[in-house]
Amino acid sequence: MDLASRYKGVVGFVFGNENSDSSEDSYVERLLDRISNGVLAEDRRTAIAELQSIVAESRAGQLAFGAMGFPVLMGVLKEERDDVEMVRGALETLVSALTPIGHVKGPTNEVQPALMNTDLLSRESESISLLLSLLSEEDFYVRYYTLQILTALLTNSPNRLQEAILSIPRGITRLMDMLMDREVIRNEALLLLTYLTHEAEEIQKIVVFEGAFEKIFSIMKEEGGSEGGVVVQDCLELLNNLLRSNASNQVLLRETMGFDPLISILKLRGSSYSFTQQKTINLLSALETINLLLMGGSESDPQKDSNKITNKTVLAQKKLLDHLLMLGVESQWAPVALRCSALRCIGDLVAGHSKNLDALSSKVLGEERQVEPAVNSLLRIILRTSSMQEFIAADHVFKNFCEKNKDGQAMLASTLIPHPNSMADAPLEEDMNLSFGSMLLRGLAMSESDGDLETCCRAASVLTHILKDNTQCKERALRIELEAPMPSLGAPELLLHRIVRYLAVASSMKNKDGKPGYSYIQPIILKLLITWLADCPSAVQCFLDSRPHLTYLLELVSNTSSTMCVRGLAAVLLGECVFYNKSSETGKDGFTIADAISQKIGLTSYFLKFDEMQRSFIFSSEKPTLSHKPLTRSTAASMTEIEDDENELTDQKNEDHPILTSIFDVQFVNFVKSLEVNIRENIVDVYSRPKSDVAVVPVELEQKGGESDKEYIKRLKAFVETQCSEIQKLLGRNATLAEDLARTGHSQPKLMEGSGSDRVQVETLRRDLLEASQRVEMLKVEKAKVESEAIMYQNLAGKLESDLKSLSDAYNSLEQNNILLEKEVKILKSGDIEAIKAEAREEAQKESEAELNDLLVCLGQEQSKVEKLSARLYELGEDVDKLLEGIGDDMGLPEGSPLIADPGGQDDIIECRRIMKAWLVHPFCNLKVSESPTTIVDCFVDGEDWRFTSHSSLSQVPFLTPKLSPSPFALFPTAALPSSLVCAVSDLAIPFVLQSVPPSSLVRERRDCPASVVNVGCLCDLLLRYHLPRLTSWVLYRLRNLKLVELTIVVGGLVSGLSGLAYTDTRRSKSDER
């Protein structure tokens, strides 16, 4: 193996052989040689034990083993299954070779032998298959070490091993069987399956169909549910792997086992409710499973939304909300991480589900005497908790509760009534007697007394969700007045004005380091104001009723000590005062606000605030997503201490507080970005139109002394025309400059408004930009033209290609037809004689069919006459059978009087008669089956040897063949027989058969008579060939009593005989011609 060179020098240095490169790994090599080539079994076992010790304690030993040891040990596992001790030693050595040695610390770039060994072993799919086969062994340690090896391979090379196990038949099934094994084996199999199912959708489906859900919940029940140990955690981690982004598995769980076993884990048992670290981890894992079900599947799955709604419905029916409220709200002794996770699940459970929203709004908590709505308890958590993560989780509940839920928003806003008593002096215990709105307003007002705006900030976040996209709630909140902290300070103050004052107070607060403190308070208050003023002109008017508000806002936009996010949000709020301003009152209209922005800040600087805000950490598209990390063994301990995450977030290099990434959700960020565009366009529009209520009357326009009215009017008219043209030019130029500033504010931050040279430069750039845009439009037109032509030529090429293909197909078909015709011509040339024969046979058959039709007509007439005469004779009392007896005997064939002249000798005829008699007696008259199924009689007729063959089977026809002929031919229908043979058949066969056998026996096949229709057909064939003139009446007479069906069968033989006769005559005539 080429990896051996990479291991040189390491093993020798460890074993004290540094100067000898040739023997630096000799010790490991000798041990491997003893294992593979040893004779004594005990010696081999000792060698493998020593090898295991070296590999487990030395990195150099791992390196040396990886270079040459795997083939040896895999051979032991493959060929020596019977030696259990050898197999154990080999597996234990492999475990040691794949396990990193932790106590040795080296350079970071140093080769890790365990990782290299894992890579080497996982490359061979045969090795993985061999290891899986070891799981069926009976020895406990063999199965245990095999699972440890597979787990180590999955830890370091997951993708490769997942592919290998998928390719092995029943590989996953063997692993699933280990879940039913002994406890130690089962726990190792759980870990292995957890690694195996991570981000492997195909394996997840196979594991589920192998009964994973039943086995997982069965193990958790045996271990005690949430009170169990780390095994329950492993089971839940495996369950989460199977459900994560896999909608089909979620549907299968919901429709087979249901969610009851999962929800039962969340039930708190006992009266003390003690939470150990392991119990907390188990409950967090179960809540993660709930969260996966509430997500519904992967984002790309089209069935995600429907599956999500169904899961929420089923979970709510199983009383999940009660268990979540117990963990997240009522169990204040539970760890913070557990409460936060439960609160997030509550928010996801009610999001977009009307029934669950109603259930939460009507849910009450507490004992009988201290019952309060669940939303009040959630608000109390937001206002009082010391954990920022718990505040974010509870705020998530209100966000999802108010999202697209106008009825819920109206219900909460209807309680926004200030408490009649002094809210600042009221003790906290009185919260139980306050409504939701009163508690929220108290949280907004009590911060001023103690100088702590954090509670006000949290209450402002909840108020933001109540007012979002709900004009009625915004109008209602505008009418709320808060009492002054002290009666001497004046009349009550509007809630909106109090919020703006808190915004100003927050900018002056300092933290312990002397830096502006509570960096998240101002952004959250600005978010509330932006949401409140959006699409609400009355809120804009209320905001501008106080002149200091606009002044402070202009200062906040220009304040360099504020963060980019705060300056940008203040600029957005200032832009809303222009965009949503419907007032025409002097000093409060949109033109006045835009003019103040231009004078105090400058349009260029103002538009730059938007660009700075978009580059901030909160609004940048590159900000990290706060997706929940999967809970594993390695991350479980850190997840229980959720406050540590807060400290880590503060180390990020950004000036904004990390919780703002959770408070400023995607919807708000997109809303601000779209609002920014509208503000830019609106300010440009304001600068493009004059103020209608401004009138300028110069002193020069007064009428001069002695000037007539006509001249005065004429002078005024000229002056007005001149001023109008100048005003229009100024307005157009003003609009152009505003557009340039809106477009180029971010690219030219140092542009000064009063610089004439810069204006010229801007104008030049604008013209260049206009020309460039015109050229781009021309190029676009040309490009579209070229593309259309290309499409046209492409279509034409496609049409031509299709035509060429059709022509090619036509040519191929013609060529095939030509080949077939050539073959037919060759066949016709070679088979002219056969064609002539077939044609002659067909003509003869047609003639014979015509004659047969005439014969059948005559036969029918005679039969009808016979029937009438028989009936009449029967009526007269005559015996018809007796009268008919003997009729036709005179037409018999007397002995020795052939019907056809016989040129042959008399001896041959006598011999043939004897042979035919012997032949005919056997098949037709003998009622018993002969011992031999076939009778063969040889005879000599007309100087040739002939052979008669008769079969006892009724389906075989007797036939006559030349004895010496290599290819026998049948007696009929085409054989031309000698005349002496014809005479013998005529004299013996016909009278014997027709007189001794009843006609019905000739037609019907019966057990007591071996005659058959085939025999009759053959006989009739022979008669019609050679004795048609004399024997017609005889045949008709003997067949007079046959029924129509029987007669039809016999007629088939007559047809065959006629066709054969015609064919024979044709051959004879052609022979005579030749």
Side-chain angles (χ1 to χ4, degrees):
M1 186 177 291
D2 57 352
L3 291 175
S5 58
R6 301 177 62 181
Y7 299 118
K8 286 186 177 181
V10 180
V11 180
F13 177 77
V14 173
F15 292 105
N17 197 16
E18 184 178 1
N19 298 325
S20 178
D21 294 338
S22 61
S23 61
E24 51 191 13
D25 56 353
S26 59
Y27 186 51
V28 174
E29 186 176 1
R30 286 198 303 271
L31 292 176
L32 292 172
D33 183 68
R34 286 170 57 189
I35 295 170
S36 58
N37 300 323
V39 178
L40 298 176
E42 191 63 32
D43 180 63
R44 298 177 65 211
R45 296 190 189 101
T46 304
I48 204 169
E50 294 179 5
L51 180 63
Q52 188 275 331
S53 178
I54 293 173
V55 173
E57 298 176 357
S58 170
R59 291 164 58 89
Q62 289 182 342
L63 288 169
F65 174 81
M68 64 189 82
F70 283 114
V72 176
L73 293 191
M74 298 310 294
V76 171
L77 297 178
K78 185 176 182 180
E79 300 173 1
E80 302 186 26
R81 290 285 187 91
D82 297 335
D83 194 341
V84 179
E85 292 188 12
M86 285 290 293
V87 173
R88 283 184 189 175
L91 291 173
E92 192 174 2
T93 305
L94 289 175
V95 172
S96 301
L98 303 178
T99 304
I101 300 176
H103 64 274
V104 179
K105 295 183 180 180
T108 56
N109 58 352
E110 186 178 357
V111 175
Q112 299 295 328
L115 297 179
M116 295 185 65
N117 292 342
T118 302
D119 183 72
L120 288 173
L121 184 58
S122 62
R123 288 180 183 273
E124 300 294 334
S125 59
E126 296 180 358
S127 302
I128 308 302
S129 178
L130 178 60
L131 290 172
L132 287 176
S133 66
L134 291 173
L135 294 176
S136 59
E137 295 293 327
E138 296 181 359
D139 187 72
F140 167 80
Y141 289 100
V142 171
R143 300 196 306 274
Y144 178 70
Y145 291 142
T146 303
L147 289 174
Q148 284 190 324
I149 293 172
L150 293 174
T151 304
L153 292 175
L154 275 171
T155 304
N156 298 324
S157 300
N159 296 332
R160 189 179 299 163
L161 198 65
Q162 286 171 351
E163 295 175 359
I165 292 178
L166 270 178
S167 63
I168 297 172
R170 298 190 74 254
I172 298 178
T173 305
R174 294 177 183 176
L175 296 177
M176 291 298 298
D177 293 340
M178 296 295 102
L179 291 179
M180 298 291 101
D181 210 318
R182 297 167 60 178
E183 183 176 355
V184 179
I185 300 292
R186 180 199 66 187
N187 297 344
E188 287 294 329
L190 273 176
L191 285 177
L192 176 61
L193 289 171
T194 301
Y195 289 116
L196 185 63
T197 55
H198 182 65
E199 296 181 355
E201 185 174 357
E202 293 298 326
I203 296 179
Q204 292 171 4
K205 293 180 180 179
I206 297 174
V207 169
V208 167
F209 282 112
E210 291 290 339
F213 290 145
E214 293 81 356
K215 296 176 181 178
I216 289 174
F217 285 114
S218 175
I219 295 172
M220 287 193 292
K221 186 176 181 180
E222 293 177 2
E223 294 293 325
S226 61
E227 303 290 340
V230 71
V231 177
V232 177
Q233 177 186 348
D234 294 337
C235 289
L236 288 170
E237 185 177 351
L238 175 58
L239 180 63
N240 293 339
N241 285 347
L242 298 177
L243 299 179
R244 185 176 290 109
S245 302
N246 198 321
S248 61
N249 287 353
Q250 294 182 10
V251 173
L252 187 62
L253 174 62
R254 184 179 68 235
E255 296 181 353
T256 54
M257 296 194 65
F259 297 149
D260 291 324
L262 177 62
I263 296 177
S264 64
I265 300 176
L266 299 177
K267 294 181 179 178
L268 298 179
R269 299 172 178 84
S271 57
S272 61
Y273 298 133
S274 61
F275 290 89
T276 62
Q277 184 179 21
Q278 187 59 54
K279 181 178 179 179
T280 302
I281 294 174
N282 293 342
L283 290 173
L284 286 174
S285 301
L287 290 174
E288 183 181 2
T289 308
I290 297 294
N291 186 52
L292 294 175
L293 294 174
L294 295 176
M295 291 175 60
S298 61
E299 296 292 337
S300 59
D301 193 345
Q303 303 296 329
K304 174 187 175 182
D305 294 335
S306 60
N307 187 43
K308 182 195 301 184
I309 296 298
T310 306
N311 288 345
K312 289 181 180 180
T313 303
V314 176
L315 288 171
Q317 293 173 354
K318 303 298 181 181
K319 307 298 181 183
L320 175 63
L321 183 60
D322 295 337
H323 300 298
L324 293 178
L325 289 172
M326 174 62 70
L327 285 173
V329 181
E330 296 185 89
S331 301
Q332 293 301 315
W333 54 86
V336 176
L338 187 59
R339 298 202 304 268
C340 293
S341 182
L343 289 172
R344 282 192 293 267
C345 289
I346 293 173
D348 295 335
L349 180 64
V350 302
H353 198 285
S354 58
K355 292 184 178 180
N356 293 351
L357 288 170
D358 295 339
L360 179 60
S361 61
S362 60
K363 186 70 65 176
V364 292
L365 304 176
E367 302 295 335
E368 295 182 358
R369 297 182 179 180
Q370 296 181 346
V371 174
E372 68 172 350
V375 290
N376 290 21
S377 301
L378 291 170
L379 179 60
R380 185 179 294 104
I381 292 175
I382 290 178
L383 299 178
R384 291 186 179 183
T385 182
S386 59
S387 171
M388 192 61 65
Q389 293 295 331
E390 190 173 10
F391 154 63
I392 295 174
D395 186 75
H396 176 72
V397 177
F398 280 104
K399 172 183 175 297
N400 289 341
F401 179 81
C402 297
E403 188 73 27
K404 298 180 181 179
N405 183 20
K406 294 187 179 298
D407 293 337
Q409 289 175 313
M411 184 268 292
L412 296 179
S414 63
T415 62
L416 292 175
I417 301 174
H419 199 273
N421 298 327
S422 177
M423 292 182 292
D425 299 332
L428 295 177
E429 288 75 9
E430 291 189 6
D431 284 354
M432 298 294 295
N433 302 323
L434 295 178
S435 64
F436 175 86
S438 300
M439 191 187 308
L440 181 63
L441 294 177
R442 183 187 180 199
L444 289 170
M446 66 181 297
S447 303
E448 189 174 0
S449 59
D450 55 7
D452 184 9
L453 293 178
E454 185 173 355
T455 305
C456 171
C457 167
R458 297 179 180 182
S461 180
V462 176
L463 184 60
T464 302
H465 303 316
I466 298 175
L467 302 181
K468 181 182 179 183
D469 299 330
N470 196 319
T471 306
Q472 295 180 356
C473 294
K474 293 178 182 179
E475 297 286 350
R476 186 183 186 90
L478 286 176
R479 297 190 293 268
I480 297 176
E481 294 182 350
L482 300 180
E483 295 181 359
M486 295 187 336
S488 59
L489 294 179
E493 187 178 15
L494 291 175
L495 177 61
L496 179 61
H497 294 178
R498 178 71 65 89
I499 297 298
V500 177
R501 184 152 59 86
Y502 287 160
L503 177 64
V505 172
S507 61
S508 61
M509 297 178 64
K510 304 290 183 180
N511 58 14
K512 297 178 180 180
D513 299 332
K515 299 179 180 180
Y518 303 101
S519 58
Y520 60 89
I521 292 179
Q522 280 187 311
I524 291 177
I525 295 178
L526 285 170
K527 178 186 177 183
L528 169 61
L529 294 174
I530 291 173
T531 304
W532 200 340
L533 268 62
D535 200 15
C536 186
S538 57
V540 174
Q541 188 65 30
C542 180
F543 178 82
L544 295 176
D545 284 342
S546 178
R547 293 288 299 176
H549 292 173
L550 179 61
T551 304
Y552 169 72
L553 205 55
L554 292 171
E555 294 177 357
L556 186 60
V557 173
S558 304
N559 190 0
T560 57
S561 62
S562 301
T563 63
M564 291 187 299
C565 178
V566 171
R567 294 196 298 267
L569 292 174
V572 172
L573 184 60
L574 199 56
E576 283 184 327
C577 295
V578 179
F579 183 64
Y580 296 111
N581 194 327
K582 306 300 181 183
S583 174
S584 58
E585 184 180 353
T586 304
K588 296 181 180 180
D589 59 336
F591 189 89
T592 303
I593 307 301
D595 189 56
I597 293 173
S598 176
Q599 294 179 5
K600 300 292 183 179
I601 304 174
L603 290 181
T604 303
S605 300
Y606 175 73
F607 290 137
L608 280 176
K609 307 305 178 186
F610 294 137
D611 301 323
E612 293 176 356
M613 179 182 64
Q614 299 297 338
R615 292 194 300 268
S616 65
F617 174 75
I618 299 173
F619 286 85
S620 64
S621 58
E622 294 82 7
K623 68 179 181 180
T625 56
L626 298 178
S627 58
H628 186 63
K629 297 180 180 179
L631 191 65
T632 61
R633 276 197 175 190
S634 58
T635 61
S638 60
M639 289 294 290
T640 57
E641 301 294 336
I642 198 168
E643 297 299 333
D644 296 341
D645 296 340
E646 233 177 89
N647 298 330
E648 293 176 3
L649 287 173
T650 56
D651 296 334
Q652 296 177 0
K653 295 182 178 180
N654 65 85
E655 55 185 0
D656 299 313
H657 199 278
I659 72 164
L660 293 179
T661 56
S662 300
I663 299 298
F664 284 26
D665 53 3
V666 178
Q667 292 86 349
F668 179 74
V669 171
N670 293 334
F671 168 73
V672 170
K673 289 181 179 180
S674 63
L675 187 60
E676 173 195 342
V677 177
N678 296 331
I679 291 172
R680 289 177 183 267
E681 295 176 355
N682 186 258
I683 290 180
V684 171
D685 181 67
V686 168
Y687 270 90
S688 300
R689 56 184 173 84
K691 292 181 65 176
S692 59
D693 56 348
V694 176
V696 180
V697 181
V699 180
E700 291 81 1
L701 294 182
E702 296 180 358
Q703 187 175 7
K704 299 179 181 180
E707 188 177 16
S708 63
D709 294 339
K710 185 177 182 180
E711 293 178 354
Y712 177 63
I713 293 172
K714 185 177 181 181
R715 186 167 58 85
L716 286 179
K717 184 178 180 180
F719 180 79
V720 169
E721 290 177 354
T722 304
Q723 291 295 320
C724 286
S725 61
E726 292 180 358
I727 289 173
Q728 292 298 328
K729 291 180 181 179
L730 290 174
L731 289 175
R733 187 172 181 80
N734 196 11
T736 303
L737 290 175
E739 291 176 0
D740 292 339
L741 289 174
R743 287 197 305 266
T744 63
H746 62 280
S747 60
Q748 299 183 20
K750 296 183 180 180
L751 185 64
M752 301 300 292
E753 288 184 322
S755 176
S757 60
D758 290 339
R759 289 186 209 168
V760 174
Q761 185 178 3
V762 169
E763 186 67 22
T764 304
L765 292 174
R766 187 182 66 80
R767 292 176 182 175
D768 294 341
L769 180 61
L770 182 61
E771 294 176 359
S773 62
Q774 292 176 354
R775 287 196 297 270
V776 168
E777 292 297 330
M778 293 176 60
L779 291 175
K780 287 182 179 179
V781 173
E782 294 180 359
K783 179 184 177 182
K785 184 178 179 181
V786 171
E787 288 179 352
S788 62
E789 293 179 355
I791 293 173
M792 181 184 66
Y793 288 130
Q794 186 177 2
N795 296 334
L796 182 60
K799 183 178 179 182
L800 293 175
E801 185 177 358
S802 62
D803 295 341
L804 180 61
K805 184 178 180 181
S806 61
L807 291 174
S808 176
D809 296 338
Y811 175 77
N812 293 333
S813 62
L814 290 175
E815 187 175 1
Q816 292 177 358
N817 294 334
N818 188 21
I819 293 172
L820 294 176
L821 291 175
E822 289 179 355
K823 290 182 180 179
E824 292 178 0
V825 169
K826 291 181 181 180
I827 293 173
L828 291 174
K829 288 182 179 179
S830 62
D832 290 340
I833 298 174
E834 287 76 4
I836 293 171
K837 290 180 181 180
E839 184 178 359
R841 187 183 298 111
E842 187 175 352
E843 293 176 358
Q845 186 174 0
K846 291 180 180 179
E847 294 176 0
S848 63
E849 288 179 356
E851 294 177 0
L852 180 60
N853 292 333
D854 297 336
L855 179 62
L856 291 174
V857 172
C858 296
L859 181 63
Q861 293 175 356
E862 293 297 328
Q863 180 69 20
S864 63
K865 292 178 181 179
V866 171
E867 290 178 355
K868 291 181 180 180
L869 291 174
S870 299
R872 182 60 180 166
L873 289 173
Y874 183 77
E875 293 175 357
L876 296 174
E878 296 294 335
D879 189 356
V880 180
D881 294 335
K882 188 175 181 181
L883 291 174
L884 292 177
E885 185 177 359
I887 296 177
D889 292 343
D890 55 339
M891 297 180 68
L893 294 176
E895 184 77 17
S897 59
L899 299 177
I900 299 178
D902 181 16
Q906 187 68 21
D907 296 334
D908 293 337
I909 294 174
I910 296 172
E911 181 67 16
C912 287
R913 287 175 179 173
R914 184 185 65 80
I915 295 171
M916 285 298 296
K917 186 175 183 179
W919 169 59
L920 291 169
V921 168
H922 172 70
F924 285 96
C925 300
N926 191 6
L927 299 178
K928 298 180 180 180
V929 180
S930 60
E931 296 179 359
S932 174
T934 305
T935 301
I936 300 175
V937 181
D938 296 337
C939 63
F940 182 79
V941 180
D942 288 350
E944 294 182 3
D945 289 329
W946 294 82
R947 170 169 294 176
F948 289 93
T949 305
S950 173
H951 293 273
S952 61
S953 173
L954 296 180
S955 63
Q956 299 292 334
V957 181
F959 58 91
L960 177 67
T961 59
K963 185 177 179 181
L964 302 178
S965 176
S967 58
F969 60 93
L971 173 62
F972 30 78
T974 60
L977 302 179
S979 58
S980 57
L981 181 60
V982 172
C983 292
V985 174
S986 302
D987 292 344
L988 289 176
I990 297 173
F992 186 86
V993 172
L994 296 179
Q995 293 179 10
S996 62
V997 181
S1000 60
S1001 300
L1002 295 176
V1003 179
R1004 299 188 184 93
E1005 294 183 7
R1006 292 172 15 187
R1007 294 182 180 273
D1008 56 349
C1009 183
S1012 67
V1013 177
V1014 179
N1015 300 124
V1016 176
C1018 296
L1019 181 61
C1020 294
D1021 185 358
L1022 185 65
L1023 292 175
L1024 291 174
R1025 286 174 183 277
Y1026 299 100
H1027 305 90
L1028 183 61
R1030 295 182 56 184
L1031 297 180
T1032 301
S1033 60
W1034 189 11
V1035 172
L1036 295 176
Y1037 173 75
R1038 296 303 299 175
L1039 301 178
R1040 67 184 183 277
N1041 292 328
L1042 293 180
K1043 296 180 180 180
L1044 181 60
V1045 176
E1046 298 170 345
L1047 185 62
T1048 304
I1049 297 174
V1050 177
V1051 167
L1054 297 177
V1055 174
S1056 176
L1058 289 173
S1059 61
L1061 180 61
Y1063 180 72
T1064 304
D1065 294 339
T1066 303
R1067 290 189 59 190
R1068 286 177 179 177
S1069 62
K1070 290 185 178 180
S1071 177
D1072 294 339
E1073 289 176 3
R1074 287 195 296 268

